[in-house]
Amino acid sequence: MTVVPFQLGIKSNPTRYGHEGNARLINCYAEPLGEEGKNPSGIYPIPGWETFTTVDASESTVRAMLEVDGTLYVVSGRNLYSVDAFGNATTIGGIATDGLVTMARNRQSTPEIAIVSDGLWWVCQGGVLTQGTDADLPAPIYVVEMDGYFVYLIADGRVFVSGLNDGLTIDPLAFGKADKVADGLLAGAVRGDDLILSGPRSTEFHHDVG
């Protein structure tokens, strides 16, 4: 049988029509071998993805995930699950909403995990899920953590903070407002000592000086 050399491209350049360009590298990468190599470059495979775990037998949509000290907390469908390093999933409790879910952890030795969705909020600690009922916190739309405090965002532009490492305690006077542009709030993020507050038309940076 005649041996026919088969050229493997070392660039991903598929072009508009496949026969025009070089082959596309899929699940592999090219690496130059230098002057001493028998070929200019080698092509090495990359291991593909495989299923780590299935948390929900109904295969509902995964809405949020947060890793906390080696345990993965997952909101899938209308439930909160914990997943250990071996992929064993345990149901913790119900999240009775269908909208956007945000999650954050604080600095307790047994961390609290704050969960916000559709104006409702929960705190999970040690595998126990508790729904927040403090009337001093208006319906939150988003949560982030900053310096041990949970920061709850309200659609009208107000921002409430929890007690230090105490997600269920809300001081009615512990709030500020993103009012440079009165367009309300949609989302938040933390960058170092800055709290970033985003609305439909504006983004504000609030610096922690305390």
Side-chain angles (χ1 to χ4, degrees), residues 106-203:
N106 63 16
R107 298 176 177 178
Q108 279 208 39
S109 56
T110 301
E112 291 181 327
I113 302 162
I115 303 168
V116 165
S117 180
D118 284 349
L120 302 178
W121 56 291
W122 297 260
V123 171
C124 177
Q125 185 179 34
V128 177
L129 184 65
T130 303
Q131 184 168 353
T133 58
D134 195 324
D136 293 324
L137 179 63
I141 61 167
Y142 211 96
V143 64
V144 296
E145 183 273 342
M146 187 173 188
D147 298 332
Y149 297 89
F150 288 130
V151 182
Y152 296 101
L153 278 61
I154 314 302
D156 64 9
R158 287 178 293 169
V159 178
F160 283 76
V161 296
S162 71
L164 179 61
N165 292 316
D166 184 357
L168 290 169
T169 298
I170 307 296
D171 186 330
L173 299 179
F175 75 93
K177 193 166 185 179
D179 55 5
K180 188 70 175 178
V181 177
D183 59 345
L185 287 173
L186 293 177
V190 173
R191 186 192 66 176
D193 291 330
D194 290 327
L195 174 64
I196 305 171
L197 302 174
S198 296
R201 305 190 313 275
S202 67
T203 298

Side-chain angles (χ1 to χ4, degrees), residues 16-37:
R16 180 175 298 183
Y17 304 103
H19 61 274
E20 295 178 332
N22 293 317
R24 175 180 295 188
L25 300 180
I26 299 176
N27 291 337
C28 59
Y29 65 96
E31 184 176 286
L33 300 179
E35 296 181 358
E36 303 300 324

